[in-house]
Amino acid sequence: MLPLGFSSGLPFLLVFSTLSTWLREAGISLTVIGMMSWVALAYSLKFLWAPVVDRYDVPVLSRLLGRRRGWMVLTQLGVAAGLIGMASTDPQSGLPFTILFAVLVAFASASQDVVIDGWRIDAAATERQGMMAAALLLGYRLALITAGAGALYIAEFANWRSAYLAMAGLMVVGLIGTLLAPRIDEGPARERLPIAKAIVEPLVDLFRRKGPMLIPILALIACYRIPDYASGIMANPLYIDLGFSKADIANVSKLYGVWIGIIGAFAGGLALTRIGLWWTLLIGAVIAAGSNLMFSWLASGHATLWGLTLSISVDNFAGGFAGAALVAYMSGLTSPGFAATQYALLSSLYALPGKLIGGASGAVVENFGYPTLFTGTATIAIPLVILCIVIRRDTMKTVAEKEEAAGLETAPVGAGSRA
């Protein structure tokens, strides 16, 4: 699971913030860089083709390796081919080709995530999924450091071509993990699920259980991470425009910042057990949006290494905290019969609006400046707080239902249960 987690995390920054650094250094306009964030929409839309990955074999590879591992190898080779293609392009003279190969990387990477999650769920019993997820997360975080700090270091001391070729070579880690993974799907290819069963029925179940309250719930999920996505695409160009070197960005943002984000996620998990889901969700909404004010402060005459470190510390901690809160909330909204599909749909919803809006962030900066963008995204905290207040009673009810269900499933007769 550890190398598969690494393979899953490696491509993401290479079509997101690391790519935006390369493009900005190449003189590409902020408007274009902002629109490049739409490449990552593949991660939000992967539920559309997930039934194909889940139900059909890859010719030859599935016969040799099994359905899951066959798809893993195909998608990993697709990521590597896309990264090699990006390395062979020059954004200044051949930006369309850079975009084309970036789309290939994003599509193959999103498909790899689908099949790795499917293999993980099939490969281990429920009581072992916690350890599987922990190994996946560790591998993913190590990959973020590699694709963030590692790629910037290589680009600083060599060039961007060498950086992306090196990242393509590191996809061999995922291939090794795939070959080491047990073959667990020996049966014939399954038919594709009918669209009604795959998508419509889970949505109907949500409407049936939540009623009109589903509207503010979905609005909260859709808006919760918008500040994070807006800052994510424009943060690296800001650092470049303020005169920070790629080594500075790598040290502070891609090494130090990743670990601060992990600390924030653990803090969010601790808050969930201490003060409950609703308060954690509310605090996460406020600090995640409010942390964007640090980038406005940084752009307003505080472009020092200390200022960079402070801004990234606040932003990454808040992002990790809010991410833990949102994952817990979305997990609580699912029902047992549709948990996987409903969670996939909800997680796609929370990522989609942020990426769409993030695509326009470059145009905002070019017309109004960095402080205006980051101050504007911070104000999203106001409607988020209102939405949290609206759904408070439903959130309390959901938590109580989950606790009752857990008690019925795990506690002996007469024993109490505790979330």
Side-chain angles (χ1 to χ4, degrees):
M1 202 68 250
L2 184 68
L4 290 178
F6 183 90
S7 181
S8 177
L10 189 70
F12 181 70
L13 291 185
L14 299 175
V15 295
F16 196 56
S17 62
T18 299
L19 177 59
S20 68
T21 307
W22 181 15
L23 296 180
R24 188 55 179 165
E25 192 176 71
I28 305 301
S29 73
L30 292 173
T31 299
V32 173
I33 293 174
M35 290 189 292
M36 281 294 293
S37 68
W38 291 335
V39 169
L41 285 175
Y43 293 96
S44 299
L45 301 175
K46 61 187 177 183
F47 71 91
L48 294 175
W49 61 87
V52 176
V53 175
D54 191 44
R55 297 277 159 176
Y56 292 100
D57 288 341
V58 178
V60 182
L61 288 176
S62 291
R63 180 168 52 83
L64 295 174
L65 301 171
R67 184 178 305 120
R68 300 291 195 201
R69 298 197 304 166
W71 275 107
M72 285 185 202
V73 168
L74 179 65
T75 55
Q76 288 160 355
L77 292 176
V79 169
L83 292 175
I84 292 172
M86 291 178 70
S88 67
T89 65
D90 179 2
Q92 289 180 318
S93 58
L95 184 60
F97 293 102
T98 304
I99 295 172
L100 177 64
F101 286 117
V103 169
L104 172 60
V105 172
F107 178 79
S109 175
S111 303
Q112 179 190 214
D113 291 348
V114 171
V115 68
I116 287 177
D117 283 336
W119 180 87
R120 172 176 56 81
I121 293 169
D122 290 344
T126 301
E127 61 269 18
R128 297 187 63 193
Q129 285 298 323
M131 185 62 68
M132 296 285 278
L136 175 69
L137 175 62
L138 178 58
Y140 197 95
R141 291 293 183 177
L142 292 173
L144 292 183
I145 294 173
T146 303
L152 290 175
Y153 282 134
I154 296 173
E156 175 77 9
F157 298 110
N159 51 56
W160 284 106
R161 173 183 171 84
S162 299
Y164 272 76
L165 286 176
M167 297 300 110
L170 285 175
M171 287 303 295
V172 73
V173 174
L175 289 170
I176 293 172
T178 298
L179 296 177
L180 292 175
R183 180 170 178 166
I184 57 174
D185 44 9
E186 300 293 342
R190 296 168 288 177
E191 295 180 0
R192 188 175 0 180
L193 283 173
I195 188 66
K197 183 177 279 298
I199 297 178
V200 175
E201 285 190 13
L203 288 175
V204 170
D205 174 73
L206 277 173
F207 276 106
R208 186 184 302 118
R209 289 187 293 112
K210 298 299 180 182
M213 186 57 66
L214 187 60
I215 296 175
I217 288 173
L218 295 180
L220 176 66
I221 292 172
C223 298
Y224 201 81
R225 300 309 300 272
I226 285 178
D228 188 51
Y229 281 104
S231 65
I233 193 63
M234 281 294 118
N236 277 13
L238 169 66
Y239 306 150
I240 293 293
D241 288 348
L242 292 178
F244 293 107
S245 69
K246 291 189 290 294
D248 290 334
I249 300 171
N251 290 333
V252 181
S253 179
K254 308 306 180 183
L255 281 177
Y256 167 78
V258 168
W259 294 109
I260 295 298
I262 293 174
I263 293 172
F266 276 108
L270 181 62
L272 286 164
T273 64
R274 299 288 183 175
I275 61 176
L277 175 59
W278 185 80
W279 279 106
T280 305
L281 195 68
L282 178 65
I283 294 171
V286 173
I287 65 174
S291 67
N292 277 14
L293 293 174
M294 294 301 299
F295 292 111
S296 296
W297 174 80
L298 186 68
S300 301
H302 300 89
T304 64
L305 193 58
W306 179 86
L308 177 66
T309 304
L310 181 60
S311 299
I312 288 174
S313 297
V314 173
D315 181 68
N316 285 25
F317 180 88
F321 188 100
L326 185 60
V327 167
Y329 180 59
M330 291 191 300
S331 298
L333 292 173
T334 62
S335 58
F338 303 104
T341 302
Q342 287 174 347
Y343 188 84
L345 291 170
L346 292 172
S347 62
S348 296
L349 175 64
Y350 95 76
L352 184 59
K355 289 174 182 176
L356 290 173
I357 293 174
S361 59
V364 174
V365 171
E366 289 194 328
N367 286 280
F368 304 103
Y370 285 108
T372 299
L373 170 71
F374 292 118
T375 302
T377 54
T379 62
I380 295 176
I382 298 172
L384 290 180
V385 169
I386 295 173
L387 288 169
C388 283
I389 294 172
V390 170
I391 67 164
R392 180 177 183 179
R393 181 174 296 180
D394 180 79
T395 302
M396 301 299 184
K397 179 182 176 182
T398 298
V399 171
E401 290 173 347
K402 290 288 182 179
E403 289 181 355
E404 182 180 356
L408 291 173
E409 291 175 2
T410 63
V413 175
S417 65
R418 182 167 177 250

